[in-house]
Amino acid sequence: MGKSKRNQRGLADKVRQTKGGQDRKTNPFEIRINKQKHSVLGRKAKHDKGTPGISRSKAINKRKETLLKEYLQRNKSSKLIDKRIGENDANMTPEEKMMKRFAFEKQRHHEKSSYYSLNDEEEELTHYGQSLAEIEKFEMPFDESDDEESGLLDAEYVAQEHFGGFLTRKKEDGAKDEKPKSKKELLEEKIAQSKKDRYERQTEKEATGELRQKLDEDWKEISELFTTGSKRNKNEDKATKKSQIDDYDIAVRELKFEMKAKATDRLKTPEELAKEERERLEELEADRQRRMKGISEEEEREMQRVKSQHRSADDLGDDFSLPSGEKFEVSYHEGKLLLPDGVESLHDLSKGSKKPHGDKESNLSDEDDGEEEDNSGDESEDDDNEEEMESDEEEDAEDSGADLESEDGGSDDDDGMDVDKMEQSTVNTEKQSRRRKKQNKDVDDEDTQKMVEEAKKELPYTFGVPCNYDELLSLVGGYSADDQMTILDRVRKCNHSSLAEGNKEKLETLFSLLVEYYGDLANERPLKIDLIDKLVRHLYELCQQSPMKSAEVLQSVIHDKYGEFDSICEKTTKVKYPGLDILLYFKLVSLLFPTSDFRHSVVTPTMLFMSQILTHCQPTNHRDVAVGLFVCSLFLQYIHLSKKFVPEVVNYLQGVLYLGTRKEDSVCHFLPPFKPYGKQTQLLALEKEESLREREISPLSISQVFSSINTEELNTDQFHISVIATCLHLLQQLSELYLELPSYREIFCSIKLALTQLHTAVYPKSIQEKIDKLHQQLSSKDGSPRSFLQKEKKKPPSMKFFEPKIEEDYDMDSKRKNKSKRMNEMQKLTYKHRREMKGAVREIRKDSQFIARQKLQEQLDRDAERRQKVNELHQMLASQEGDCKRIGRKKVKF
């Protein structure tokens, strides 16, 4: 039967489609060539060509098959999933689908029916994972060579005696008529045989060792015959080498035998060092407290030993009895404990109750000791006691003499006299021991009193952080400068920030209190400049521990001082120069914080405050001039790195030079706070000009300036010369600092004019040399041409070279070798994670764009459908309107 035309047409279409898919060529316009910036030889380019159009269409089709279906079924609660085998696989033929389905059905049927089937093959039995069929023997294999050493029986013996057929075993030859041996006899024979074999092996081993030792000795004798000549030659060579040893060989040997560095302990962390320091101070404080109580080291160790000892009831002997003493009846009156006479506390009462028990003589001796201790304070009583002691000694001597006489004539003594003499001698020995104890006790009391006094003079080793300013004054008040620094040092060590949680805040509070104490020390008279200098070290170290809090404290101090100064400036035009406390605060800021920053929260307001002082404060006496020069020197410390231009300093130094010039021919121009007239213009005028040329210049000291009670004490020619010398020194530093400024000549032109108006002949030679040197330096740029204003030059960009960049000692795996294995693995994982993250973000972005296009397409379809329905309604209404009008026209015709 032939094929129908319909089937032939379908087969031809399939063949044509398959051939078209195989012969299809890519469109050259769809290929995109990725150009490389630099071509590298030997490097394979993975993405030199690409087909973005084809890739985009494949991605869209894939999203239509997956993402679009999920999007369309997002609001559907029921789904029909086709789980037939091979139904969704386009590569499987219908025959393959049927075969797989049939095999799956047979497998399901077989699994259900095989549970109770008994006709299957026999299963393999196992024991502890091993097949029983593979196990052939269950006994341990024997090795005849190791039977004797291991202590086991040999295989032959086991085979014959244990499983040898018992009575049916064969008899040995020559023993047919003998009776069979018993089990005991067989074992004894076996033991004897084993001992014999062991002895033979031992003797053979010893013989072999002796033979080996003999061979070694013979070989040594023979080897000496071969090596005598070579040894002799070697000794001669060594002797010649020793004679040829030079200094280099000696140095090499010294370095060879030089002691090598030994391994040391690791460096301790700051936290560990702080903890050890606090423990050391606590131990020293405990030792000081012990010495203040009058307890020696031996007594302390004895007390510790007694406390550590423990005696149970079983350790007590039969003669043990509790100490009997006077019982004390406890009674109270108005809430207070009533004590007997002569007792101040329960501690004293407990001491008095701990007396040893004995006979009457020991009690009497204790009472005598107590009386002597009570009367040791009075000198007259001491003399009486000494007389008594002397009389006692005489009595002892007489008693001893009487004893000797009685011994000479002892033939007539009776027993009663012997007893009296023995009692008398016992009393004498007790008195002597009591006197020795008293003398030793007096010496011990003196040493103890001396130890207590020395301990009280020492400073405590542990301190707490003061919470307010009054506590700080009570802590350091009344001590010398060194003791105050020691106290502050111990306060910081005992309360280090790493030892407890709240210590950092306590130290910040201590910093604020020390800043206030620093200002108060500056206002005290006489000025304690040494204490102020030593206090700066603690302030600096505390500032380094908490810089933010320290900046806030000093910023608030500067703000308060400037507020007071600004209020005075608003009220009056004659503003006084600030006190020494504000000047020392300026100095402290330069020590604690960096002054080279472009802007700083503490340094910048301080510099503005100092410039306001130089601008508004008018110098009315010699102290004001010295204060102004001190502020100018502080400015130089602030700007020596940043080289900021401060016109107030230049103006003030010019005014100081004006105060030392002659006013008859001066033509200088001044700015506030200086004035060209008045009494203040003659502050630095010299009175005795002829006697000043040979004088030595002493430097200015701000502490000496403020220590003078009256400002007229500073009105001396020596002070005037020192001020002029200081001014010239500051101008020299300023000229070197501003040498690179383009307006250098304009800045110092007025300074140069003031220098020419100074009467230099009356000043010492050193000042004259300084003036000439400064004038030459200021005139050095007078003839230099000015540079034109030009645009800032930029570095031209370098051209791109195609030459390879050559690196010496380049290593391909340098990045990996420099790091550990764990770091390399972490770097790989980080790179993979970053790459996957970028790919995931890119795919999510494309999915969202696809969903957005799908939503837009759905909205456009809904709009088109609505527009079509509206048009249909319009058409229907139009047709109805036309029919209505046509019917109306027909009625009119009728």
Side-chain angles (χ1 to χ4, degrees):
M1 183 177 179
K3 294 182 179 179
S4 63
K5 294 182 179 180
R6 186 175 180 181
N7 295 336
Q8 290 178 359
R9 192 185 301 112
L11 184 61
D13 293 339
K14 288 182 180 181
V15 173
R16 185 168 58 254
Q17 289 177 1
T18 56
K19 286 184 178 181
Q22 294 176 357
D23 299 334
R24 183 180 179 183
K25 295 181 180 181
T26 57
N27 189 358
F29 293 99
E30 293 179 353
I31 298 174
R32 180 181 176 181
I33 299 174
N34 299 322
K35 294 182 180 180
Q36 295 183 359
K37 195 171 185 179
H38 301 291
S39 58
V40 182
L41 295 176
R43 179 183 293 178
K44 294 182 180 180
K46 296 182 180 179
H47 306 289
D48 54 349
K49 294 181 181 180
T51 55
I54 297 174
S55 300
R56 190 181 301 110
S57 63
K58 287 181 179 179
I60 291 172
N61 292 332
K62 186 176 180 179
R63 286 187 177 87
K64 285 181 179 180
E65 293 176 358
T66 57
L67 187 62
L68 183 59
K69 290 182 179 180
E70 294 179 2
Y71 176 73
L72 295 176
Q73 295 178 359
R74 64 187 184 279
N75 294 326
K76 294 181 179 180
S77 59
S78 60
K79 297 179 183 179
L80 294 176
I81 300 174
D82 191 1
K83 293 186 177 181
R84 291 179 293 176
I85 298 175
E87 190 64 26
N88 296 325
D89 192 358
N91 297 326
M92 293 180 65
T93 59
E95 290 80 6
E96 293 177 352
K97 294 179 183 178
M98 295 300 295
M99 289 296 295
K100 281 197 173 184
R101 292 174 185 174
F102 179 74
F104 182 72
E105 288 293 331
K106 291 292 291 179
Q107 184 179 359
R108 288 177 59 188
H109 179 71
H110 177 71
E111 288 177 356
K112 290 182 179 179
S113 60
S114 63
Y115 291 149
Y116 307 102
S117 177
L118 300 177
N119 296 326
D120 295 339
E121 295 180 359
E122 294 182 358
E123 295 181 355
E124 185 178 8
L125 300 178
T126 59
H127 179 69
Y128 284 102
Q130 296 180 357
S131 176
L132 295 179
E134 295 178 359
I135 300 176
E136 296 178 356
K137 296 181 179 180
F138 295 95
E139 66 274 2
M140 183 183 297
F142 294 98
D143 189 3
E144 295 181 359
S145 61
D146 297 335
D147 287 344
E148 300 298 334
E149 296 179 0
S150 61
L152 301 177
L153 302 176
D154 56 356
E156 183 180 358
Y157 180 80
V158 172
Q160 291 181 1
E161 301 299 330
H162 294 180
F163 304 100
F166 299 100
L167 299 175
T168 60
R169 66 185 177 202
K170 297 179 180 180
K171 296 182 179 179
E172 297 178 359
D173 296 338
K176 295 181 179 179
D177 298 335
E178 294 180 359
K179 295 181 179 180
K181 296 180 180 180
S182 63
K183 194 72 172 178
K184 184 179 180 181
E185 294 174 353
L186 292 173
L187 287 175
E188 289 177 354
E189 289 180 359
K190 185 63 180 177
I191 292 170
Q193 184 66 27
S194 64
K195 288 182 179 180
K196 180 181 177 182
D197 295 340
R198 190 179 298 110
Y199 176 74
E200 290 177 356
R201 285 195 300 271
Q202 184 68 23
T203 53
E204 184 179 358
K205 188 176 180 181
E206 291 177 356
T208 305
E210 291 176 357
L211 182 60
R212 188 186 299 108
Q213 186 176 2
K214 185 178 180 182
L215 288 174
D216 291 339
E217 293 176 355
D218 296 342
W219 170 249
K220 287 181 181 179
E221 294 177 358
I222 296 171
S223 61
E224 288 178 357
L225 299 176
F226 295 107
T227 58
T228 51
S230 60
K231 281 185 177 180
R232 191 175 304 158
N233 296 332
K234 287 181 180 179
N235 294 332
E236 293 176 358
D237 295 340
K238 287 181 180 179
T240 55
K241 285 183 179 179
K242 286 182 179 179
S243 62
Q244 296 177 358
I245 291 175
D246 54 359
D247 297 337
Y248 177 78
D249 296 332
I250 294 172
V252 169
R253 291 181 180 179
E254 288 179 354
L255 293 174
K256 182 178 179 181
F257 294 103
E258 189 178 7
M259 184 177 290
K260 298 180 181 179
K262 296 182 180 179
T264 58
D265 297 334
R266 66 173 182 86
L267 296 177
K268 296 181 180 180
T269 60
E271 291 78 10
E272 293 175 350
L273 293 175
K275 186 177 180 181
E276 290 181 358
E277 186 64 22
R278 186 183 67 173
E279 291 176 354
R280 186 183 70 85
L281 292 175
E282 289 177 351
E283 290 178 359
L284 292 174
E285 179 62 19
D287 182 68
R288 190 183 73 89
Q289 294 289 343
R290 175 187 59 76
R291 288 186 282 113
M292 287 177 64
K293 295 177 181 178
I295 303 174
S296 61
E297 295 182 1
E298 292 78 5
E299 294 177 355
E300 181 72 16
R301 285 195 292 269
E302 184 66 22
M303 292 170 63
Q304 294 292 337
R305 188 183 64 80
V306 171
K307 288 182 180 179
S308 61
Q309 289 181 353
H310 173 71
R311 296 184 65 186
S312 62
D314 297 334
D315 298 334
L316 301 178
D318 297 333
D319 57 345
F320 177 78
S321 62
L322 291 173
S324 60
E326 297 180 0
K327 295 184 178 180
F328 170 65
E329 185 177 355
V330 179
S331 61
Y332 292 89
H333 178 67
E334 295 180 356
K336 296 182 179 180
L337 181 64
L338 296 178
L339 298 172
D341 296 337
V343 179
E344 297 180 356
S345 63
L346 287 175
H347 183 67
D348 298 337
L349 185 65
S350 61
K351 284 183 177 180
S353 63
K354 294 178 181 179
K355 291 183 180 180
H357 296 268
D359 54 2
K360 295 180 181 180
E361 294 178 356
S362 61
N363 294 334
L364 289 172
S365 64
D366 294 339
E367 292 174 1
D368 294 338
D369 292 339
E371 291 176 358
E372 291 176 0
E373 291 176 359
D374 294 338
N375 299 329
S376 61
D378 198 335
E379 295 181 358
S380 60
E381 293 178 358
D382 291 339
D383 298 336
D384 297 339
N385 293 331
E386 291 177 0
E387 293 175 358
E388 291 176 0
M389 291 169 62
E390 292 176 357
S391 62
D392 292 338
E393 290 176 358
E394 293 175 357
E395 292 176 358
D396 296 338
E398 292 176 358
D399 294 338
S400 61
D403 293 338
L404 292 173
E405 292 175 357
S406 63
E407 287 177 0
D408 294 335
S411 59
D412 298 331
D413 295 338
D414 54 355
D415 295 337
M417 294 295 293
D418 293 337
V419 174
D420 294 338
K421 290 178 180 180
M422 291 176 64
E423 291 179 357
Q424 186 66 26
S425 63
T426 304
V427 172
N428 293 332
T429 54
E430 287 181 358
K431 287 182 180 180
Q432 291 177 2
S433 64
R434 188 163 60 251
R435 292 192 203 100
R436 286 194 296 270
K437 286 181 180 179
K438 182 181 178 182
Q439 293 175 0
N440 296 333
K441 187 175 182 180
D442 293 339
V443 175
D444 294 340
D445 291 342
E446 291 178 0
D447 296 339
T448 303
Q449 188 67 22
K450 185 177 179 181
M451 180 179 64
V452 171
E453 291 176 357
E454 291 178 355
K456 289 181 178 179
K457 290 179 181 179
E458 293 181 6
L459 289 174
Y461 292 92
T462 56
F463 294 94
V465 179
C467 299
N468 50 44
Y469 190 65
D470 295 335
E471 292 184 5
L472 177 64
L473 292 179
S474 62
L475 185 66
V476 300
Y479 293 103
S480 62
D482 295 335
D483 290 343
Q484 290 187 24
M485 295 303 103
T486 304
I487 290 170
L488 292 177
D489 191 27
R490 290 174 181 176
V491 167
R492 291 177 51 212
K493 288 179 179 179
C494 294
N495 301 274
H496 196 269
S497 57
S498 62
L499 298 177
E501 187 174 353
N503 284 353
K504 186 176 181 180
E505 290 76 10
K506 293 180 180 179
L507 293 179
E508 291 173 355
T509 305
L510 178 64
F511 177 81
S512 61
L513 297 177
L514 290 180
V515 168
E516 186 177 356
Y517 184 59
Y518 180 83
D520 291 345
L521 288 176
N523 294 326
E524 289 183 0
R525 296 294 177 273
L527 185 63
K528 301 176 182 178
I529 196 66
D530 296 337
L531 179 57
I532 293 174
D533 292 339
K534 294 176 181 179
L535 187 60
V536 172
R537 181 180 68 86
H538 292 282
L539 290 172
Y540 178 79
E541 293 176 356
L542 290 172
C543 180
Q544 297 301 315
Q545 292 180 2
S546 56
M548 296 298 294
K549 185 66 177 178
S550 304
E552 293 176 1
V553 171
L554 275 175
Q555 188 178 17
S556 63
V557 171
I558 297 298
H559 183 269
D560 295 340
K561 298 295 182 181
Y562 180 74
E564 297 174 1
F565 179 80
D566 191 23
S567 62
I568 296 173
C569 292
E570 292 177 356
K571 292 178 182 179
T572 179
T573 56
K574 295 183 179 181
V575 184
K576 293 182 179 181
Y577 277 84
L580 184 59
D581 56 344
I582 298 178
L583 300 179
L584 292 182
Y585 278 135
F586 293 161
K587 181 68 176 179
L588 183 63
V589 169
S590 65
L591 296 174
L592 299 185
F593 302 104
T595 57
S596 60
D597 295 351
F598 180 75
R599 182 174 179 80
H600 194 271
S601 60
V602 182
V603 177
T604 304
T606 306
M607 294 180 68
L608 292 175
F609 191 7
M610 292 161 59
S611 62
Q612 291 291 324
I613 291 173
L614 295 179
T615 305
H616 291 86
C617 296
Q618 183 179 357
T620 59
N621 50 44
H622 299 83
R623 181 183 292 174
D624 294 344
V625 176
V627 171
L629 289 176
F630 182 75
V631 175
C632 293
S633 65
L634 287 178
F635 256 119
L636 283 173
Q637 294 178 9
Y638 275 67
I639 64 174
H640 76 282
L641 291 177
S642 61
K643 296 182 180 181
K644 295 179 181 179
F645 177 61
V646 186
E648 293 85 0
V649 177
V650 179
N651 180 54
Y652 190 85
L653 294 177
Q654 179 188 352
V656 172
L657 290 177
Y658 172 73
L659 297 178
T661 58
R662 293 180 178 180
K663 306 302 181 292
E664 292 83 7
D665 52 354
S666 63
V667 290
C668 295
H669 300 283
F670 301 98
L671 295 173
F674 296 96
K675 294 181 180 181
Y677 55 87
K679 296 180 180 180
Q680 293 81 10
T681 57
Q682 303 294 332
L683 283 176
L684 300 180
L686 300 179
E687 297 178 357
K688 300 178 182 179
E689 299 178 354
E690 296 180 356
S691 61
L692 299 175
R693 296 179 182 178
E694 303 298 332
R695 285 195 177 184
E696 296 182 357
I697 303 172
S698 60
L700 283 178
S701 176
I702 195 67
S703 59
Q704 294 178 1
V705 171
F706 278 92
S707 61
S708 59
I709 301 173
N710 191 3
T711 57
E712 293 298 329
E713 297 178 2
L714 303 175
N715 190 10
T716 59
D717 293 338
Q718 184 68 29
F719 179 78
H720 298 167
I721 293 173
S722 300
V723 169
I724 295 298
T726 305
C727 181
L728 293 174
H729 178 69
L730 295 176
L731 284 171
Q732 182 72 25
Q733 291 182 352
L734 274 179
S735 62
E736 295 175 358
L737 197 64
Y738 296 151
L739 190 61
E740 298 178 358
L741 291 179
S743 58
Y744 180 80
R745 282 182 288 180
E746 286 74 15
I747 291 172
F748 292 100
C749 63
S750 58
I751 301 293
K752 220 168 33 167
L753 181 61
L755 289 175
T756 56
Q757 293 179 1
L758 276 175
H759 188 45
T760 58
V762 298
Y763 288 100
K765 293 182 180 180
S766 59
I767 292 183
Q768 294 178 12
E769 293 175 359
K770 285 184 178 181
I771 293 173
D772 296 338
K773 184 178 179 181
L774 180 60
H775 194 276
Q776 291 177 3
Q777 186 173 356
L778 295 178
S779 303
S780 61
K781 280 199 171 184
D782 288 346
S784 60
R786 296 180 182 274
S787 59
F788 295 98
L789 186 63
Q790 296 178 356
K791 189 178 180 181
E792 185 181 0
K793 294 182 179 180
K794 295 183 179 180
K795 186 179 179 180
S798 60
M799 296 178 63
K800 295 181 180 179
F801 296 99
F802 294 98
E803 297 179 0
K805 182 181 179 181
I806 300 174
E807 295 182 3
E808 296 181 0
D809 301 332
Y810 178 74
D811 190 3
M812 295 290 291
D813 299 330
S814 60
K815 292 183 179 180
R816 295 182 180 179
K817 286 185 178 179
N818 293 335
K819 298 179 181 179
S820 61
K821 183 178 179 181
R822 182 176 177 275
M823 292 297 293
N824 291 331
E825 292 178 355
M826 184 64 68
Q827 191 174 2
K828 289 180 182 179
L829 291 175
T830 305
Y831 173 73
K832 290 181 180 180
H833 177 265
R834 190 182 297 113
R835 187 176 59 184
E836 294 295 332
M837 180 64 71
K838 289 182 179 179
V841 170
R842 184 170 57 251
E843 292 296 325
I844 291 172
R845 190 183 298 113
K846 290 181 180 180
D847 292 344
S848 61
Q849 293 175 0
F850 178 79
I851 296 297
R853 287 196 299 270
Q854 183 65 25
K855 290 181 179 180
L856 179 61
Q857 186 64 36
E858 290 178 357
Q859 184 66 30
L860 293 176
D861 293 343
R862 287 195 297 270
D863 293 344
E865 184 179 358
R866 182 176 179 279
R867 196 179 301 108
Q868 183 181 359
K869 290 182 179 179
V870 170
N871 292 335
E872 289 178 356
L873 290 175
H874 287 171
Q875 292 176 3
M876 184 179 65
L877 293 174
S879 61
Q880 289 179 1
E881 186 69 21
D883 293 341
C884 184
K885 288 181 180 181
R886 188 171 54 255
I887 292 171
R889 284 195 298 270
K890 287 180 181 180
K891 289 181 179 180
V892 172
K893 289 179 181 179
F894 288 117

